[in-house]
Amino acid sequence: VYKTVESIDSTNVNVQLSLVSYYEYVKDTINYNKAIEKLVTNVNMDSSTRLSIMNMLVRNDLQTQSDSTKMLSLFDKIRKMVY
């Protein structure tokens, strides 16, 4: 269902948030990471929501001691998008 709605309105932030939640729930890390990147680089997302999501991602990375290069890459994409 999400994919059908996304194909109609690919920049809908609510659909993208739902997809992220779904992929996290089913533990599909590949699609989760793709959906997160698409979500936080969506020009229709307001800055405060984007910052909240990035804050959550950074905290998760610190807790799980994940590879920080992925997070740095994501920050760089956002920076290029904004400036």
Side-chain angles (χ1 to χ4, degrees), residues 53-65:
I53 291 170
M54 292 304 294
N55 187 7
M56 176 202 68
L57 293 172
V58 168
R59 276 189 272 120
N60 287 347
D61 269 12
L62 289 171
Q63 288 175 351
T64 60
Q65 298 179 345

Side-chain angles (χ1 to χ4, degrees), residues 10-28:
S10 64
T11 60
N12 185 311
V13 172
N14 292 324
V15 171
Q16 290 179 345
L17 277 167
S18 295
L19 273 171
V20 166
S21 295
Y22 171 74
Y23 291 136
E24 183 177 34
Y25 176 76
V26 297
K27 299 185 185 343
D28 182 346

Side-chain angles (χ1 to χ4, degrees), residues 2 10 16 19-21 39 41 47-49 54-55 59 65 67-68 71-72 74 82:
Y2 291 126
S10 64
Q16 290 179 345
L19 273 171
V20 166
S21 295
L39 176 64
T41 59
S47 295
S48 82
T49 304
M54 292 304 294
N55 187 7
R59 276 189 272 120
Q65 298 179 345
D67 180 8
S68 63
M71 187 59 60
L72 290 172
L74 192 54
V82 174

